[in-house]
Amino acid sequence: MKDTLKHRGMRNHLAQVLIDKGIADKKVLDAVRQIPRHLFMDSSFEGHAYQNKAFPIAANQTISHPYTVAFQTELLQVEPGQKILEIGTGSGYQTAVLLKLKVKVYTIERQLELFKKTNIFFKKMGYRPKQVIFGDGYKGLPKEAPFDRIIVTAGAPEVPKALLSQLKVGGRLVIPIGFEEQIMTLFVRTTEKEFSKTEYGSFRFVPLLENKN
């Protein structure tokens, strides 16, 4: 697949849809306009890639709605050069959005099929996260902690304590919490031992399952 003027026009339309839904961060919107989302999906979905919909990818996972990606990214309030931990690499689209914002991304994927496929795709496309890791996102990445921001792109029944502990003071963690439906939740580490918590609307995510292996 190629990235054509038609695709770019569709991305501009998608960005306007996101603006109409309340996304206001210009840098996030610019990333949506620039990143060829259709290349992150099976070619059979190419004609629908710039609709605000989730689509199946490998390993029974999904590429999230563009609005969800934009909403989570906006909540993070990232600054260039920050160190970001992403739990759930998936198709790599969220990773690409973060990279466009000029941050250092460490991303973890628990599905081996997806990990291999997306890692190859990143190299082919020239996307360069600091690390792409196969492993259990519940554990975070202690050896690289603390992080300025942490984003979880799959539903979790509760916030993993390991992730909270790996957040810098002043850092932000965005995670969808719940079972069949999730509540988008923002945690801000206000002191070494205290966190503020803000809940946003209901979303639907593929569950983040703990890796028992």
Side-chain angles (χ1 to χ4, degrees):
M1 288 191 288
K2 296 180 180 180
D3 188 28
T4 66
L5 283 172
K6 180 182 177 182
H7 290 123
R8 291 167 198 163
M10 293 164 77
R11 288 201 290 278
N12 285 333
H13 176 72
L14 174 59
Q16 187 58 52
V17 170
L18 299 183
I19 290 168
D20 292 344
K21 288 178 69 67
I23 301 299
D25 189 315
K26 291 181 179 179
K27 292 179 181 178
V28 174
L29 292 165
D30 284 345
V32 170
R33 291 186 183 102
Q34 293 170 30
I35 296 169
R37 186 174 184 252
H38 64 284
L39 299 183
F40 292 77
M41 309 164 54
D42 188 286
S43 59
S44 61
F45 296 118
E46 180 183 4
H48 307 283
Y50 297 106
Q51 296 175 14
N52 186 36
K53 293 181 179 179
F55 289 96
I57 55 175
N60 295 317
Q61 304 297 297
T62 60
I63 180 171
S64 294
H65 291 72
Y67 174 73
T68 302
V69 172
F71 187 78
Q72 284 195 279
T73 308
E74 191 171 64
L75 281 183
L76 283 178
Q77 297 183 4
V78 302
E79 299 291 341
Q82 286 184 330
K83 196 172 184 180
I84 314 295
L85 177 62
E86 178 188 35
I87 307 301
T89 314
S91 69
Y93 181 70
Q94 174 70 76
T95 316
V97 169
L98 292 170
L99 290 172
K100 281 289 183 185
L101 301 180
K102 297 181 172 60
V103 296
K104 301 168 186 174
V105 182
Y106 297 75
T107 183
I108 303 175
E109 175 54 54
R110 66 181 176 84
Q111 296 283 355
L112 185 58
E113 179 186 0
L114 260 183
F115 166 76
K116 290 179 177 178
K117 184 175 181 179
T118 304
N119 212 355
I120 292 169
F121 178 74
F122 281 155
K123 290 171 183 174
K124 178 181 175 183
M125 294 292 293
Y127 292 117
R128 294 184 175 86
K130 294 294 287 185
Q131 289 185 32
V132 183
I133 300 128
F134 172 63
D136 181 1
Y138 265 55
K139 298 174 183 176
L141 197 60
K143 65 181 180 179
E144 294 293 345
F147 293 93
D148 297 292
R149 303 287 188 267
I150 300 176
I151 179 171
V152 180
T153 66
E158 59 186 13
V159 60
K161 290 181 180 178
L163 298 185
L164 290 173
S165 72
Q166 291 172 36
L167 198 61
K168 281 184 181 178
V169 174
R172 300 168 75 89
L173 164 62
V174 175
I175 179 171
I177 297 177
F179 289 93
E180 289 189 6
E181 284 196 8
Q182 293 82 33
I183 301 298
M184 194 67 73
T185 308
L186 168 66
F187 291 90
V188 178
R189 189 167 199 167
T190 52
T191 69
E192 284 292 337
K193 295 183 179 180
E194 295 178 306
F195 296 83
S196 67
K197 175 182 175 182
T198 308
E199 293 184 342
Y200 297 86
S202 177
F203 290 75
R204 282 185 177 271
F205 284 78
V206 173
L208 175 68
L209 301 176
E210 187 169 5
N211 190 343
K212 300 294 185 182
N213 296 329

